[in-house]
Amino acid sequence: MKVFIKEFTVATRTRFEVVDITGLVEDAVSSSGVSDGIVVVHVPHATAAIMLNEAEPNLFHDYVDMVKELFKPDAQWRHNMIDNNAHAHLAAAVIGSSRVIPLRGGRMMRGTWQNILLLELDGPRHRRVIVEVMGV
Ligand code: ZN
């Protein structure tokens, strides 16, 4: 079994942002030489998340609006007394910082409407993305 790790950085430009990183992950998978196994996509951050969903421009706004609706940035969160980003921690905790995708024949088994999306919740920042490919 091979284990391959690739890391890249995404520079976000606004506080809330959705970045389609599918191509970057696919490049990492290609260079891994692994054909069958699993791909883990992970952000080592507490205020960003990884989603597997449609890269449609209206939905990009909807994802952000959903976060603002569910984790209201202006609410009286206790964490905001020391750091003004409680909403980002809470949304990242619920959505999750990683996704696992099966790999078969060198292709990630994504659905047609499943792109790999980095969700910035407290930008702008430089976000590390770790892609680990394991298999044969
Ligand atoms: Zn914080």
Side-chain angles (χ1 to χ4, degrees):
M1 188 186 80
K2 265 193 260 185
V3 178
F4 172 91
I5 291 189
K6 169 95 186 256
E7 182 173 327
F8 55 85
T9 301
V10 174
T12 60
R13 291 160 300 186
T14 56
R15 191 172 200 203
F16 294 94
E17 190 173 337
V18 182
V19 183
D20 187 350
I21 59 170
T22 308
L24 291 165
V25 175
E26 283 177 343
D27 289 347
V29 171
S30 299
S31 53
S32 75
V34 176
S35 165
D36 299 284
I38 57 171
V39 180
V40 178
V41 183
H42 176 69
V43 280
H45 301 287
T47 56
I50 296 291
M51 303 191 300
L52 205 55
N53 219 295
E54 186 174 356
E56 190 274 315
N58 291 303
L59 262 176
F60 278 19
H61 291 289
D62 291 336
Y63 297 136
V64 170
D65 288 349
M66 169 190 72
V67 166
K68 290 177 177 172
E69 181 75 24
L70 294 175
F71 306 96
K72 296 180 168 45
D74 296 328
Q76 298 300 306
W77 304 111
R78 290 170 187 81
H79 183 67
N80 286 346
M81 291 189 284
I82 59 161
D83 194 9
N84 191 32
N85 63 358
H87 70 279
H89 289 276
L90 297 171
V94 169
I95 296 167
S97 56
S98 59
R99 287 291 187 273
V100 178
I101 304 156
L103 180 68
R104 289 292 176 272
R107 293 176 66 100
M108 286 187 285
M109 299 179 75
R110 296 185 292 110
T112 305
W113 312 115
Q114 285 185 313
N115 277 33
I116 303 163
L117 307 174
L118 167 68
L119 179 58
E120 174 60 79
L121 297 159
D122 192 34
R125 295 185 192 221
H126 286 85
R127 298 300 194 176
R128 292 166 59 204
V129 179
I130 295 163
V131 180
E132 178 150 345
V133 188
M134 286 167 284
V136 293

